[in-house]
Amino acid sequence: MDPTIESRLQHFIQAKGLRNTPQRNSIVEAIFATDEHFTADELWERVRKTQLRSSRATVYRTISLLVEAGLLHEIDLGDDQKTYDPNFVDSPAHNHLVCIDCGKVVEFEDKHIKLLNDCATRRLGFRPERQTLKIEACCEKLRLHGRCENLIAARVQGKRLPKKR
Amino acid sequence: MDPTIESRLQHFIQAKGLRNTPQRNSIVEAIFATDEHFTADELWERVRKTQLRSSRATVYRTISLLVEAGLLHEIDLGDDQKTYDPNFVDSPAHNHLVCIDCGKVVEFEDKHIKLLNDCATRRLGFRPERQTLKIEACCEKLRLHGRCENLIAARVQGKRLPKKR
DNA sequence: GTTATTGCAAATGATTTGCACAAGG
DNA sequence: CCTTGTGCAAATCATTTGCAATAAC
């Protein structure tokens, strides 16, 4: 796991007078083992498969802790359940593009976007602090070639496809 | 009420083979009487005060209908309840700035932002369809002059202030 | 008439919480 | 020890749904 995360978490834990527990550590590890987004229940499933299983409650509590520490961000993908994104430690200012066809989420950074938004914010009389951009878009590959591997993969995996609005 | 909304709703209702009911009309009227954002329960309270009250269920069902018709948008203000924005009919591409100090939501449009985001989307191989930008920012007025009317007003009205993240 | 709509109350389902016990420091 | 953390089961709370009665068209 990224040593940055390790140390930032330790900092936070000590500053708050909290303790180190095997359950919490194992959940944190499961979160940052990949760069995938997840819901609380998906994470619980992931943790269930490790040697050190934790209760749902502890999973929820650990998520809250990490969000409070700024190591994990809640993002809005339009789902009913809350979705979490573990990649803000590495890319503090990334944006999300959600494919309308297959639901795949693409993360991207763009300094021009950030700059322009900050400009607009100042023009309105505010000091920019955080920005969240979600773009919903259709897959060109699907439109031009009639097929897109992501869509096929999603169907095979039985993923819930996004509701067209 | 905006005649555009009236006719677009009628269109949608007829196309779907639905019916006109006084309850639904009164809820729609309550929604578009102001440009304020609202939660389902806030809307229900608003409707309760009119002559023609409706049940909570009908309020929820009407909201879903309008969202499906594209006349109402669900927006994410970081609250637990879903928040709805009735202003997309008039400003189909507006963005939201949320004041971290008082929670006030400022809507603004910016064609440069839209253009740049669309550019980034195409560069990633997608066809832009919809974009959602939320900016969280601090009030300069509060920082420079030590006070901001919005903050005071929010406190007086007993509004829940935003949780600092 | 036929079918959509309403209101009620009950169900749902994700998240939170109270509590007794376990375990860090 | 003293306090935080855990697991369980029960509680919450916004939202959805089944159903019988009502009302569009």
Side-chain angles (χ1 to χ4, degrees), chain B residues 121-133:
Chain B
T121 305
R122 275 189 230 97
R123 210 181 311 137
L124 289 166
F126 290 83
R127 191 175 73 240
E129 204 64 42
R130 200 179 358 261
Q131 49 181 262
T132 315
L133 171 64

Side-chain angles (χ1 to χ4, degrees), chain B residues 1-7 9 25 27-33:
Chain B
M1 184 171 44
D2 190 336
T4 315
I5 294 167
E6 195 93 61
S7 83
L9 181 57
N25 289 336
I27 295 169
V28 172
E29 210 155 294
I31 289 176
F32 294 104

Side-chain angles (χ1 to χ4, degrees), chain A residues 18-19 21 23-24 55 58 61:
Chain A
L18 307 181
R19 289 167 188 174
T21 70
Q23 287 91 334
R24 195 139 67 194
S55 68
T58 301
R61 287 189 271 234

Side-chain angles (χ1 to χ4, degrees), chain A residues 1-17:
Chain A
M1 185 174 42
D2 189 336
T4 316
I5 295 167
E6 195 92 62
S7 84
R8 282 181 61 182
L9 182 57
Q10 284 313 313
H11 237 253
F12 184 79
I13 285 194
Q14 263 148 45
K16 279 224 147 196

Side-chain angles (χ1 to χ4, degrees), chain A residues 44-61:
Chain A
W44 185 62
E45 282 298 334
R46 234 191 269 174
V47 171
R48 245 153 80 78
K49 288 171 190 152
T50 64
Q51 347 71 358
L52 214 169
R53 332 219 239 114
S54 307
S55 68
R56 242 199 205 80
T58 301
V59 169
Y60 274 101
R61 287 189 271 234

Side-chain angles (χ1 to χ4, degrees), chain A residues 72-135:
Chain A
L72 190 62
H73 281 216
E74 194 183 314
I75 58 173
D76 174 39
L77 260 34
D79 272 323
D80 291 325
Q81 284 160 270
K82 290 176 187 166
T83 309
Y84 297 92
D85 183 339
N87 305 323
F88 279 89
V89 176
D90 290 335
S91 320
H94 71 262
N95 304 300
H96 292 106
L97 185 154
V98 184
C99 178
I100 290 178
D101 298 311
C102 71
K104 188 181 165 67
V105 179
V106 178
E107 302 196 337
F108 68 100
E109 245 169 323
D110 187 318
K111 62 172 69 128
H112 300 107
I113 289 180
K114 181 175 179 349
L115 195 63
L116 183 55
N117 291 343
D118 283 353
C119 253
T121 306
R122 276 189 230 94
R123 210 180 312 136
L124 290 165
F126 290 83
R127 192 176 71 240
E129 203 66 40
R130 200 179 359 261
Q131 48 181 262
T132 314
L133 171 65
K134 177 179 66 172
I135 292 174

Side-chain angles (χ1 to χ4, degrees), chain A residues 99-104 138-156, chain B residues 125-126:
Chain A
C99 178
I100 290 178
D101 298 311
C102 71
K104 188 181 165 67
C138 296
C139 179
E140 280 294 355
K141 215 179 285 179
L142 183 68
R143 193 167 67 93
L144 297 175
H145 307 112
R147 48 175 281 136
C148 158
E149 312 76 48
N150 289 332
L151 177 55
I152 295 162
R155 291 236 166 92
V156 168
Chain B
F126 290 83

